[in-house]
Amino acid sequence: MRARNERLVLSLVRRHQALAKSEIARMTGLSAQTVSVIMRLLEKDGLLLRGEPVRGKVGQPSVPMRLNPDGAFFFGLKVGRRSTELVLTDFVGNVRQRERRTYDYPTPNATLDFSRESLGKVMSSMSPESKSRIAGLGIAMPFYLWDWAKTLQVPQEKMDPWRASDLKTDLALSCNMPVFLQNDATAACGAELVFGPADGPRDFLYFYVGFFIGGGVVLNGSIFSGRGNAGALGPLPVPDDAGGVKPLIDVASLYVLERAITTAGATSHSLWETTEHWDVPKAQLENWLNKTASGIAYAIVSSCSLIDFECVKIDGWMPPDIKAHLVELVENKLSEVNLTGLERPLVLAGAVGPDARSLGAASLPLSERYLSEA
């Protein structure tokens, strides 16, 4: 029970950034004495920091408590179709260190080697105190990677080793810390939930535009993963230019933009190297943005026919100005779609940005050890 209450207190402080004992007692229904004991223990453990006293009109001043950024550390490993990244985050979600490698396609051996080398490099630079506060490693990666050989335009035998690979177990055996695994798009959705705005909606549909588009479903403030693949979104059928339908993944993914750019004889390297600015042909980019917005709009309508989402969030591996433009285009496309019988959801840009998959991976051990779903 104490562990549950501690997680509840930490979750509330994270959500509201800073809270006093009296506020937590009111929110939780716990006695002021119980909350006081919990907060003293969490402060002693280095997880909470005292703020400046706030004096009211009567009584003792209240002392808000906030999370200690150095209270715990988490590794997040993102395995993508074009790059692998390892980040070290602190207790409030700041990225303290980062290691990244790009490639034409991922292989199990190269991914494992990169992970081990990067973990060793980052940990060697940490103090003994910081290393003692590492709570685990989360992995965010696409499931069934071997199914994507054709789309990645690599021979099937290059991707088949993923069938027998168990990256989670291999890393758990070598890094001596708890290891967790989640689908990359679902993990990105988790980052939005954990590190996004405290006053955000409790129910929302989430899209992450990466090499392949994916997403997640949040209901009552928690990710709904079903049997592991709920909210994948990529397979949703949407209209195409020929009057037929295509899976959303073949309309709104970055690989579609990459193909258009290379077909036009230009280079697409900047798509994967940076999200500060893309040096790509404007014509191909605008065409892709319009088709992507249309596809996402239809996917929103289909999804809202099943669940009455109050909000849709769109994020991805892209510069902020392009993401803002995409959100605007999706809003415009929704205005053109028949929404009879449906409540139109609010469409917002995701708050986490390109790091959502890596931060989502890091949020897995954080959530397991320190957060409550209550």
Side-chain angles (χ1 to χ4, degrees), residues 150-188:
K150 183 177 180 180
T151 305
L152 287 167
Q153 297 183 317
V154 301
Q156 183 63 51
E157 61 267 22
K158 298 291 187 181
M159 300 300 291
D160 279 341
W162 283 107
R163 296 180 187 272
S165 172
D166 189 345
L167 185 62
K168 176 184 175 183
T169 298
D170 290 341
L171 283 174
L173 290 172
S174 62
C175 70
N176 193 31
M177 67 179 72
V179 180
F180 306 86
L181 176 69
Q182 181 61 276
N183 171 268
D184 57 341
T186 303

Side-chain angles (χ1 to χ4, degrees), residues 52-371:
E52 293 297 323
V54 178
R55 298 188 179 277
K57 294 181 179 178
V58 295
Q60 295 292 322
S62 63
V63 180
M65 304 290 284
R66 59 183 176 86
L67 298 180
N68 179 4
D70 294 328
F73 296 93
F74 315 90
F75 282 109
L77 174 68
K78 185 270 294 184
V79 181
R81 281 85 170 186
R82 284 288 186 263
S83 67
T84 298
E85 182 174 72
L86 181 84
V87 298
L88 175 71
T89 67
D90 61 24
F91 203 24
V92 297
N94 297 316
V95 176
R96 295 292 187 93
Q97 295 194 57
R98 184 193 310 267
E99 296 291 328
R100 188 166 185 269
R101 183 173 297 170
T102 59
Y103 41 62
D104 292 331
Y105 58 89
T107 64
N109 288 339
T111 301
L112 185 58
D113 289 344
F114 165 82
S115 303
R116 288 170 172 165
E117 292 170 9
S118 299
L119 283 167
K121 180 178 179 180
V122 173
M123 291 182 69
S124 67
S125 68
M126 299 174 68
S127 68
E129 169 67 15
S130 295
K131 280 194 281 190
S132 71
R133 292 181 174 273
I134 296 174
L137 164 69
I139 304 170
M141 64 181 291
F143 292 163
Y144 311 112
L145 264 169
W146 56 87
D147 283 341
W148 302 108
K150 183 177 180 180
T151 305
L152 287 167
Q153 297 183 317
V154 301
Q156 183 63 51
E157 61 267 22
K158 298 291 187 181
M159 300 300 291
D160 279 341
W162 283 107
R163 296 180 187 272
S165 172
D166 189 345
L167 185 62
K168 176 184 175 183
T169 298
D170 290 341
L171 283 174
L173 290 172
S174 62
C175 70
N176 193 31
M177 67 179 72
V179 180
F180 306 86
L181 176 69
Q182 181 61 276
N183 171 268
D184 57 341
T186 303
C189 183
E192 183 70 26
L193 189 61
V194 173
F195 301 118
D199 57 352
R202 301 284 288 171
D203 304 299
F204 62 87
L205 184 67
Y206 177 87
F207 291 88
Y208 187 90
V209 183
F211 187 89
F212 292 134
I213 190 171
V217 171
V218 173
L219 299 175
N220 298 318
S222 299
I223 290 179
F224 179 75
S225 57
R227 288 177 290 174
N229 208 35
L233 300 178
L236 277 172
V238 298
D240 63 14
D241 292 339
V245 295
K246 280 185 176 181
L248 180 65
I249 201 170
D250 291 334
V251 174
S253 299
L254 285 178
Y255 91 85
V256 178
L257 175 58
E258 179 187 57
R259 298 274 173 85
I261 292 170
T262 55
T263 299
T267 178
S268 61
H269 295 318
S270 70
L271 289 180
W272 316 116
E273 292 171 351
T274 180
T275 55
E276 294 182 5
H277 172 72
W278 281 351
D279 183 18
V280 297
K282 185 175 181 180
Q284 279 72 37
L285 177 60
E286 285 296 330
N287 184 53
W288 175 81
L289 281 169
N290 277 290
K291 290 181 178 180
T292 295
S294 180
I296 291 176
Y298 276 99
I300 289 172
V301 173
S302 297
S303 301
C304 288
S305 299
L306 294 175
I307 299 175
D308 189 20
F309 291 105
E310 60 179 303
C311 177
V312 174
K313 296 193 175 187
I314 300 173
D315 216 331
W317 178 264
M318 61 184 72
D321 59 325
I322 292 178
K323 180 172 69 174
H325 186 32
L326 176 59
V327 170
E328 180 184 5
L329 288 172
V330 171
E331 284 272 28
N332 294 340
K333 296 293 184 180
L334 272 180
S335 301
E336 301 170 4
V337 179
N338 186 352
L339 293 171
T340 302
L342 300 176
E343 289 287 335
R344 177 169 174 164
L346 183 65
V347 180
L348 300 173
V352 180
D355 280 340
R357 291 170 296 178
S358 301
L359 284 173
S363 77
L364 297 175
L366 187 160
S367 298
E368 178 67 23
R369 184 163 175 178
Y370 295 107
L371 299 187

